[in-house]
Amino acid sequence: MIEAIMESHYIQSLPFLLKGLVWTIIITIVGLILGFALGAITGLGRLSKNKLIRGICAVYVEVVRGTPILVQVLFIFSGLTEDIIGFNIDKVTASIIAITINAGAYIAEIVRGAVHSIDKGQHEAGRSLGLTQRQTMRFIIWPQALKRMIPPLGNQFIISLKDTSLFSVIAVGELLYMGKQYYNATFSAFQTLIMVCILYLIITVPTSFYLRKLERKLDV
């Protein structure tokens, strides 16, 4: 019985799938780190009093949120050719850029909403202490807003993690692509895709549970 299980495709596919899972996590984490930086700048830009900055940030957010990430990664990988930008973008870099740009637009709204939710009296308190507008944002508003961002940022991590499965279309060696490579060679689609789902769930379910617990703890 045990020997049969060990020789089944459920187990035999694991070495291939784990390699893909590593790339899935790397692309997601790197993309989200860069996406948070882009989203923070854009989110604060949408709150700017400068109409030009506010308009540019709004256009970026609406364009990215209004187009599928699959189209975005294909545009970056296949559309931005050497003839247009002078060099070719490799598939992993294209995937990270796609996650960065896509997540950045959604994170921008998270940042904007979190900062906007802070009571205006906090701004006035900072000014009454003699702080500049920038210092008030840095030392008073941002720490409070960041606390409120944590749960939705965690949800964005789960969304971006699942979005990486779309990058199999450009042959990125992430989890789904490695699964497809395995079952195409072994004709074991059912068992392999079951394992793909399980590996996604191993990441997403504990993350969702932790986020709910964190949200209750932070009382946000």
Side-chain angles (χ1 to χ4, degrees), residues 7-8 31 36 40 43 47 89 109 115 118 123 135-136 152 154-155 162 168 180 186 189 191 208 213-214:
E7 292 180 356
S8 70
F36 179 76
L47 296 170
I89 301 175
E109 289 300 280
V115 171
I118 303 301
H123 293 270
Q135 289 172 328
T136 301
N155 291 329
K162 294 185 291 184
S168 61
K180 289 169 66 176
T186 60
Q191 299 96 319
S208 297
K213 186 176 180 180
L214 183 62

Side-chain angles (χ1 to χ4, degrees), residues 67-142:
T67 54
I69 190 172
L70 182 57
V71 175
Q72 293 164 14
V73 75
L74 285 172
F75 178 81
I76 294 166
F77 181 67
S78 302
L80 298 179
T81 61
E82 187 174 359
D83 294 336
I84 295 176
I85 61 175
F87 59 93
N88 290 320
I89 301 175
D90 69 84
K91 54 192 177 184
V92 173
T93 302
S95 300
I96 292 173
I97 293 173
I99 289 289
T100 298
I101 292 174
N102 187 269
Y106 289 92
I107 291 172
E109 289 300 280
I110 293 172
V111 170
R112 184 181 68 85
V115 171
H116 192 68
S117 70
I118 303 301
D119 189 270
K120 291 183 179 179
Q122 299 290 322
H123 293 270
E124 295 171 1
R127 301 307 292 271
S128 67
L129 292 171
L131 300 177
T132 65
Q133 185 174 353
R134 182 174 295 182
Q135 289 172 328
T136 301
M137 174 62 69
R138 179 181 176 185
F139 296 112
I140 298 178
I141 306 302
W142 185 255

